Every structure is written in C-alpha cells, then in structure tokens.
Amino acid sequence: MALLTSDVDRFEKARPRLEAIAYRMLGSSAEAEDAVQETFLRWQAADIGRVEVPEAWLTKVLTNHCLNQLTSARARRETYVGQWLPEPLLAGDPMLGPADTAEQRESVSYAVLVLLERLTPNERAVYVLREAFAYTHREIAQILDIGEAASQQIFHRAKKHLADGRARTEIDEAAARRIVEEFLAAATSGRTEPLIQLLTQDSLVAGDGGGKVPARASAFEGARAVARFLRGLFKPSDAKRALLGGSPAFYASTANGGPAIVAVVDDRVIGITCLDVTPDGIVAVRSQVNPDKLDRATERWAAGGHEGAPLFTF
C-alpha cells in the first residue's frame, strides 16, 4: 500500500525516538536500525486510517519486534566468541536519545546497558519505556498486552535486578576528560601502582573482540590483576602496531555519557574503552574492539565528532 507523504513524514518524525528505544533494547545500532526499518515496513502495510494513535502503534510494533530479537539474540550469544558487550555510542549521537533527566542519562549509560543483559526481554522493555521515555504503566501495559499492575511489578523487579549497590557519578565532559587523562597517564606509566590507586579493589576489566580481534575471553576482577593487564595492554610494541594496522592514537571522549578512550588508526575507530566511575574509583574498564560494533563510531569520528589532540600514541 502506497503511503501518503504525510504518513511518511509522520513516521520520520517518530524515527529518532524509535531508534533510541531500539538501541536501549538491543544494545546495537545496526540492530536498532533494522528494527526501525521493519517497523516502517509494517507501517507501510497497515491500514493507517484505522490507526487511532500513530505514536503508540509504532512503539508497540517496534517493541514487540525488539522482544523477538532479544529472544533470538540470547541463543546467538551462547555461541558468541568471548565476552559480548553492547555497542558504545560517542557523544552527540542522536541514537542516545533523551538526556534531560538523571534517569534518562543513566538508562543509556554503558554500565546500565551491560546490566540490562541480566533482564528478561519483558523486564528490559518495561524498564526502557518507563525509565528512559516516561511511558505510564497504563501505556506500557497496552504496548506489551499485559495488565497495568503487571507492568508495575515487572518494573520493580527490573530495578531490583539492576541495583548493584553502587552509586554512579554523573560526569560532565570536562570531568570525563580529566578522568581519561589521569587514567591514560597511569596506564602508560609502566607501573601498576598509579593504576591501582584509581581502581576500586573489586574492579574488573572486560573486552569484546567478537572473535575478530584478540580480547579477554572473560572478565576478571581485582585491582592488582586489572592494573597488571592494563599496564601490558598500553605498552607499545611493533607486534601490536602490526596487529592493529598502524600506530593507534588514543583520544579522550565520552561514550554513552561517561568517560571513554577512543583508539583511532587512520581515522578508523579500532576501539572504545568505557570507564565506569563511582565515588570510590573506577569500578570497570570495558573495551569494545569488535570492528562490527565500531562502524557507526567511525562514521561519526570521520564526520568530525571529536575534539582535541590525542593524549597518547603507540
């Protein structure tokens, strides 16, 4: 069925919100774009004259498609090579969605995206719709075809699963840069003690190479062990340059609202390391180096989505 120009315009107006919902649901920009495109195809085939509230209809179709994707994704991740981590998005990416409230900013933080993997698909949907987009429980109930009381219970359960007893620190761009500068100075000092001072005692390090780039197969914990690993990771060598296709430059940036280190070779982003910061120190260092999850970051970087000179070069 051919769409009227007004119907296409209505969908395009909703696209940024739909992409932001899908990204939080799936943790992948490519999968989010696919979900939104599938929603458009459903919109194109619908009898739009009978759709009373287009925004609600589009959100329902998108959310249910994401729920199906999450169910199949769990099966795929059982055979994923190494540690699976979400795709980080650099500062200013529209897919990050609304960031007006502390709840919205936290809902898309890298630490929370990692924790969302603990939730069932329904828990994830309720949490995202309620916390990040302020849908009422009545609206969520209609989207998911559940009762309003059930939505409230699921939300409470999701919040409980996500609580890990730590208070995160809200960080502006200037503070994020200072944290990255301090971290890189410690990591490239050749000593473990400066790093240990920045880390919490139970800090962890994890990396996602997707079987395409060498990365830790599983996360490991402990400030001293993490510091030793990072000291070795940031030690330059000809072998590393050959593996990475050149001499990487490391920049201070923000990803998902938190401090991040962006590694770049010839304007190609080869890694984004997200630092999870609490008042007690850095509790997690997570690196995304799977090239399949860095295409969008590379596009943004090449388009000028960064500032300043590199802090360190191999």
Side-chain angles (χ1 to χ4, degrees):
M1 182 180 297
L3 290 179
L4 299 175
T5 300
S6 59
D7 295 327
V8 175
D9 290 344
R10 183 177 291 172
F11 184 88
E12 290 304 319
K13 185 178 180 180
R15 183 184 291 274
R17 178 180 55 83
L18 296 175
E19 287 188 343
I21 292 172
Y23 170 68
R24 282 169 166 83
M25 287 283 291
L26 302 172
S28 161
S29 68
E31 291 182 9
E33 288 172 345
D34 288 346
V36 173
Q37 181 60 24
E38 179 63 28
T39 303
F40 176 75
L41 294 176
R42 293 281 302 277
W43 176 247
Q44 190 176 37
D47 183 355
I48 295 176
R50 300 182 64 183
V51 176
E52 294 182 4
V53 185
E55 179 183 281
W57 189 95
L58 292 170
T59 303
K60 183 181 181 73
V61 170
L62 175 85
T63 302
N64 281 283
H65 180 76
C66 288
L67 289 174
N68 292 334
Q69 290 298 103
L70 283 173
T71 301
S72 61
R74 294 199 169 195
R76 292 196 306 273
R77 287 170 195 170
E78 288 178 1
T79 59
Y80 192 83
V81 179
Q83 179 92 12
W84 188 93
L85 290 175
E87 174 185 350
L89 297 181
L90 296 179
D93 193 311
M95 199 174 280
L96 289 170
D100 298 325
T101 67
E103 290 79 11
Q104 289 172 336
R105 292 189 291 273
E106 183 180 35
S107 72
V108 80
S109 71
Y110 202 67
V112 167
L113 284 184
V114 172
L115 290 174
L116 286 175
E117 292 299 306
R118 297 179 180 180
L119 305 184
T120 66
N122 261 13
E123 287 172 343
R124 189 162 182 162
V126 171
Y127 175 83
V128 166
L129 293 172
R130 178 65 181 155
E131 196 78 344
F133 296 91
Y135 280 85
T136 66
H137 284 293
R138 176 174 293 182
E139 291 169 328
I140 294 170
Q142 292 171 346
I143 290 169
L144 298 179
D145 292 324
I146 59 177
E148 188 173 346
S151 176
Q152 293 171 338
Q153 292 170 356
I154 291 170
F155 180 69
H156 177 74
R157 196 162 61 238
K159 293 276 283 186
K160 186 175 181 180
H161 287 325
L162 293 178
D164 63 356
R166 292 186 184 276
R168 261 62 191 184
T169 303
E170 282 219 57
I171 297 168
D172 60 24
E173 289 192 18
R177 183 176 180 86
R178 289 194 299 271
I179 290 168
V180 171
E181 289 174 347
E182 191 173 2
F183 176 84
L184 271 179
T188 59
S189 69
R191 299 183 295 122
T192 58
E193 289 306 318
L195 275 167
I196 291 173
Q197 292 176 12
L198 298 179
L199 301 167
T200 62
Q201 285 303 306
D202 60 348
S203 59
L204 65 84
V205 65
D208 179 352
K212 300 183 178 184
V213 175
R216 285 283 307 182
S218 59
F220 63 95
E221 299 183 9
R224 189 163 296 277
V226 169
R228 289 197 189 106
F229 174 80
L230 293 171
R231 181 189 63 188
L233 185 67
F234 284 94
K235 184 177 181 180
S237 71
D238 290 337
K240 289 178 182 175
R241 295 186 190 97
L243 178 67
L244 298 173
S247 181
F250 296 87
Y251 294 82
S253 187
T254 58
N256 295 75
I261 303 160
V262 180
V264 180
V265 173
D266 297 331
D267 286 330
R268 177 173 55 89
V269 175
I270 63 166
I272 299 177
T273 297
C274 299
L275 306 179
D276 185 2
V277 181
T278 71
D280 297 324
I282 297 172
V283 70
V285 181
R286 299 184 177 96
S287 296
Q288 182 55 260
V289 293
N290 183 345
D292 294 342
K293 299 182 183 182
L294 295 171
D295 286 343
R296 188 177 178 95
T298 293
E299 290 175 5
R300 182 161 185 81
W301 194 266
H306 64 282
E307 296 180 359
L311 299 178
F312 175 68
T313 304
F314 264 14

